Amino acid sequence: MSVIASSQPHRDIQQNKAPALNRPQNRLVIGGLVVAAALTLFLAFTQDIVQPLLLVIGLGLGYTLFHARFGFTSAFRRLASVGNGQAIRAHMVMLAVACSLFAPILAIGTTFFGAEATGNVSPVGVSLIVGAFLFGIGMQLGGGCASGTLYAVGGGRSVMFITLLFFIIGSTIGAAHFSFWMNDMPAAEPFSLATSTNLGYGGAWLVSLLIFGAAILLSLWIEKKRNPPKMAALPSASGWKRIFRGSWPLMAAAVALAVLNALTLLTRGSPWGVTSAFTLWGSKAADALGFNVESWGYWQGNIDALHASIFVDTTTVLNFGVILGAFIASAAGGLFKFSNITAKNAAASVIGGLLMGYGARLAFGCNVGAYFSGIASFSAHGYIWGVMALGGTFLALYLRPLFGLSVPKPKDTFC
């Protein structure tokens, strides 16, 4: 979201009026719904029943992300630059709801279709620290995180197609280097608040809620000290029409995303993730170009996935759903429009995409797979990912202006 500059201090602004909502782009909405229906039918007739269900969940994720402009990148940037914690508090609510839903699911251990339900619990080591830090830099330069890249592509933000392409390339390079980071760099065993301690899922849930509550209080204390600009209002319809057109409250979106992540866990046996599909797409392309992809450590024990249809891959199906859901949401709000690409923002997208892709492979996921789903799964690596990505964000605040990208300032009207 761009920063609206003003010579008047933000505290003197009496109103934060949202701009008028555009008319719906009905032809695009219909086209998006037709493509979504066709893809759902294709998956229903050619794949396991899980796949069309995941596409529907992905549609819901993309629809929610776009309607609320629910950002991970912008949330970290606002906190790091001016101390605005509004979006971070929404993250904490999302994580609290997700943990509350994940705890019984993981404790019982079964899904809708009888498969084992397992959380995203990964090792803590050098690869995680380096990867999350690189990802934090990359998401600030690339203009969005993993989920943000997908929903921005769905919304027609042209430069994000560049980010996505180089995200895939970076993730593929990370897969090629996977053995070095996993085998030659030190790491501790995966640590779960629930199963690596005597807390169990009930105790881990309570400890998690205390952590989220402390984070909320800390963000409020920071805001009191720094008095930052508020987030700008977004165009929206009123009443029940707001469901289909315009912006959603961040807290409503936080709850919706948590519920959809829990449904993902119950449907496929693992939580929401994004970037493993990027690695698959890039590795398939590398294999077609003659690279010996099968020798890469990342694919050891999972070579069948490398040669199967992408529609067998559950994360790919979720990603397609996110893009389509965001496209439908943007068109319903009359907001789908290809944006301008400049040399500077294209360069930032190339660098940001590469850093995010490579970092995600090192750090066992992105803002979704590591931070959101990792913390919801009670994994220590999710918390460390968040801290290191915030560290990368602080560094990126000094890099963004080099590419003509804005950084919120304390005297801005909105951020």
Side-chain angles (χ1 to χ4, degrees):
M1 184 182 300
S2 62
V3 177
I4 305 172
S6 172
S7 60
Q8 184 180 13
H10 69 274
R11 60 181 61 86
D12 293 335
I13 300 298
Q14 298 299 319
Q15 293 181 330
N16 178 9
K17 292 184 178 179
L21 190 66
N22 297 336
R23 291 185 177 183
Q25 297 162 298
N26 291 323
R27 291 183 180 180
L28 295 181
V29 173
I30 293 171
L33 291 172
V34 168
V35 171
L39 185 54
T40 302
L41 289 173
F42 169 77
L43 293 171
F45 284 108
T46 63
Q47 305 297 327
D48 187 87
I49 185 61
V50 167
Q51 303 301 75
L53 292 177
L54 288 174
L55 180 69
V56 173
I57 293 171
L59 288 166
L61 289 167
Y63 196 82
T64 302
L65 286 167
F66 187 90
H67 266 308
R69 313 298 196 277
F70 197 94
F72 294 86
T73 301
S74 57
F76 280 42
R77 184 166 63 247
R78 291 188 187 104
L79 181 66
S81 60
V82 294
N84 183 306
Q86 288 175 269
I88 290 294
R89 289 193 288 277
H91 287 191
M92 295 304 108
V93 170
M94 176 185 70
L95 291 169
V97 175
C99 282
S100 300
L101 296 173
F102 273 45
I105 296 170
L106 295 173
I108 295 171
T110 58
T111 66
F112 289 140
F113 301 100
E116 182 183 4
T118 57
N120 287 1
V121 182
S122 299
V124 175
V126 171
S127 70
L128 169 65
I129 293 170
V130 173
F133 186 78
L134 292 177
F135 194 99
I137 299 170
M139 69 180 180
Q140 298 302 335
L141 295 181
C145 51
S147 57
T149 297
L150 292 179
Y151 90 73
V153 165
R157 190 176 165 199
S158 302
V159 76
M160 298 306 289
F161 287 86
I162 299 175
T163 299
L164 177 58
L165 172 61
F166 284 89
F167 205 140
I168 294 168
I169 293 171
S171 189
T172 306
I173 297 171
H177 296 171
F178 192 75
S179 292
F180 167 76
W181 289 102
M182 296 303 108
N183 300 329
D184 297 341
M185 292 290 105
E189 292 297 318
F191 186 88
S192 164
L193 293 177
T195 60
S196 303
T197 68
N198 294 322
L199 293 172
Y201 283 102
W205 169 77
L206 182 58
V207 169
S208 298
L209 292 189
L210 292 174
I211 293 172
F212 305 147
I216 289 173
L217 292 176
L218 178 60
S219 75
L220 291 170
W221 179 81
I222 292 172
E223 285 192 359
K224 185 177 180 181
K225 289 287 186 180
R226 300 187 65 179
N227 192 23
K230 300 297 183 183
M231 292 172 58
L234 297 171
S236 182
S238 59
W240 64 269
K241 293 181 180 179
R242 193 173 184 182
I243 298 173
F244 304 102
R245 284 175 45 73
S247 66
W248 290 1
L250 278 178
M251 293 303 178
V255 173
L257 291 172
V259 171
L260 289 166
N261 199 349
L263 287 174
T264 302
L265 174 60
L266 282 169
T267 301
R268 71 171 185 173
S270 59
W272 183 24
V274 175
T275 60
S276 65
F278 296 168
T279 309
L280 174 64
W281 304 345
S283 296
K284 279 180 170 290
D287 185 62
L289 291 172
F291 289 88
N292 187 15
V293 177
E294 290 186 5
S295 67
W296 298 352
Y298 182 85
W299 291 108
Q300 297 307 301
N302 196 26
I303 291 177
D304 289 343
L306 183 61
H307 298 296
S309 165
I310 60 171
F311 294 106
V312 175
D313 180 54
T314 56
T315 304
T316 292
V317 172
L318 280 167
N319 287 355
F320 287 167
V322 171
I323 294 171
L324 274 171
F327 173 79
I328 294 168
S330 66
L335 296 170
F336 183 86
K337 181 181 180 181
F338 291 114
S339 56
N340 294 329
I341 298 177
T342 67
K344 283 189 174 182
N345 68 19
S349 290
V350 170
I351 297 170
L354 288 171
L355 289 175
M356 282 194 288
Y358 196 83
R361 284 288 57 79
L362 271 58
F364 309 103
C366 57
N367 57 293
V368 171
Y371 174 62
F372 181 10
S373 294
I375 292 175
S377 301
F378 307 100
S379 177
H381 94 285
Y383 292 98
I384 294 173
W385 190 100
V387 171
M388 295 310 302
L390 184 60
T393 293
F394 274 106
L395 175 59
L397 296 180
Y398 298 96
L399 301 177
R400 280 175 60 86
L402 301 177
F403 299 93
L405 303 174
S406 64
V407 174
K409 300 293 190 299
K411 292 186 177 181
D412 286 335
T413 305
F414 304 115
C415 64

